[in-house]
Amino acid sequence: MTFSSKVIKIETISPSSEIIAHNDDLLTEILLRLPIKSLLKFKCVSKHWLSLISDPLFYLRLNPTNCPCALMVHKWSRLDNPEFYFIKLGSNSKLSFRTLHFVNNSSVIKIFQSCNGLLLCNSFCKNLWKLNYYVHNPTTQQRKLLPEMNQLGKIYDLYLAFDPRKSPYYKVICVHSCHISQSVYRIQIYSAETGRWGVLSTATFTLPFNIGFHGGVFWNNSINWYTDSGSSIRFDIGEEKVKEMPMPPMRDACYRRMVTYFGESRGHLRLVEIHSAPSTKFNVCEMERDYSGWSVKYCVNLESVVSAFPGMIRPYLDPSELNYYAFQVIGIEREETHKGEYLVLHIPAKFIRYNLKDGSFRKLCDFAPNYKPEDAYTFGHCHAYKYIESLACV
């Protein structure tokens, strides 16, 4: 009997984990479906994974609309180590923290600005009488102590510029008053890429002594301010030049701007001014991307909100006064369905979500329960900062 022998060739099959590890597209799709906290841990797996997760394109896919999941709010009276109230904006929003405690207990922490997931803060050490400046990522709890600046004069303010869709590095812009005159200002820039402050000899500008500039909003690669009257200014970070920015015309009876809201909202610079009663009727204006001017984006009427929450009325004032109604615009956000936008309104003891498309509204949450809902006497303005989960390194 003859037996025929057959050679059976057994191919080695690669494990699925090895297949994934060598396929960047597949690995990226898996990583995009993980929560932020998991991604922070996986950045330590290897240099390859760190590179993938740190790529600006990965961030763009992770949060394509740069959507804030909450607003962090505290009152004027609680600026020293405040307890923050989180106003959840999305269905998946989770409470992250209540207070900022990343320096010793003798320091008073203040937030200057929030910008695409990072916070610009300072801390004043009572024992040493020293002021330090930090860039802080509340998601990762990482912080960077900024080096001391070359003092050119009194510091007017600092501003954070960060767009993770374009670069993993942030910049901090510092505006100094000049020794020569209080109306002359100079600019220094801190670069996270170099880790140093740079002085710009060309970035000097002058404003009339009685004209203040306010806001300092990062938008369109510029720090944008509004002035009390006339045209406003902006600092073009790319060109490192101060440029003029047009503003809507002021009414003849007004000696200064009555700005209720000035901020960035989903890639747009928005402005709300209220110059006449009733203050419940106003326009939301939007700046053209080429800075050619402002256009009216929405017309708002809050009379239905007042009817539902009469505690907004200050009965001891005349209805013709601008502050007869107690409310504050603290944010303009986009619906999760991307169908329209809404105002976040602070009224006595509550936060309201007002749909700009159809005028519908609902309560987001209560604030400061010691307030009486029907009483507008104790209403105070809030500082609100966007909370965006971020993987950015500081």
Side-chain angles (χ1 to χ4, degrees), residues 183 207-214 228-229 255-256:
S183 59
L207 291 173
F209 182 75
N210 61 341
I211 298 295
F213 61 106
H214 319 278
D228 291 333
S229 63
Y255 66 94
R256 62 182 295 269

Side-chain angles (χ1 to χ4, degrees), residues 27-34 39 57-59 61-62:
L27 179 57
T28 299
E29 289 298 328
I30 294 173
L31 292 173
L32 286 170
R33 286 160 174 76
L34 298 177
L39 292 174
L57 293 177
F58 181 87
Y59 178 87
R61 294 184 62 188
L62 184 67

Side-chain angles (χ1 to χ4, degrees), residues 307-328:
S307 298
F309 302 100
M312 294 172 61
I313 298 174
R314 293 185 170 107
Y316 56 94
L317 296 178
D318 188 275
S320 62
E321 297 190 43
L322 284 180
N323 57 347
Y324 178 67
Y325 298 102
F327 72 92
Q328 178 190 8

Side-chain angles (χ1 to χ4, degrees), residues 14-77:
S14 300
S16 58
S17 58
E18 188 175 342
I19 295 175
I20 295 173
H22 290 84
N23 188 324
D24 284 357
D25 293 336
L26 183 56
L27 179 57
T28 299
E29 289 298 328
I30 294 173
L31 292 173
L32 286 170
R33 286 160 174 76
L34 298 177
I36 290 286
K37 289 185 177 181
S38 297
L39 292 174
L40 293 174
K41 295 178 181 178
F42 290 155
K43 289 174 74 173
C44 303
V45 170
S46 66
K47 291 183 179 180
H48 181 210
W49 284 35
L50 174 63
S51 176
L52 284 176
I53 298 172
S54 302
D55 192 319
L57 293 177
F58 181 87
Y59 178 87
L60 183 61
R61 294 184 62 188
L62 184 67
N63 190 0
T65 60
N66 213 27
C67 174
C69 57
L71 291 178
M72 304 157 46
V73 175
H74 65 75
K75 291 179 56 183
W76 276 98
S77 59

Side-chain angles (χ1 to χ4, degrees), residues 207-259:
L207 291 173
F209 182 75
N210 61 341
I211 298 295
F213 61 106
H214 319 278
V217 176
F218 176 64
W219 175 75
N220 204 15
N221 203 35
S222 294
I223 302 296
N224 303 270
W225 295 278
Y226 68 89
T227 52
D228 291 333
S229 63
S231 298
S232 293
I233 57 174
R234 66 185 178 94
F235 174 63
D236 188 309
I237 298 172
E239 297 184 16
E240 297 186 346
K241 292 182 180 179
V242 177
K243 300 181 178 180
E244 186 176 291
M245 181 175 70
M247 292 294 286
M250 296 178 62
R251 301 192 180 186
D252 295 336
C254 299
Y255 66 94
R256 62 182 295 269
R257 297 195 180 281
M258 305 297 289
V259 175

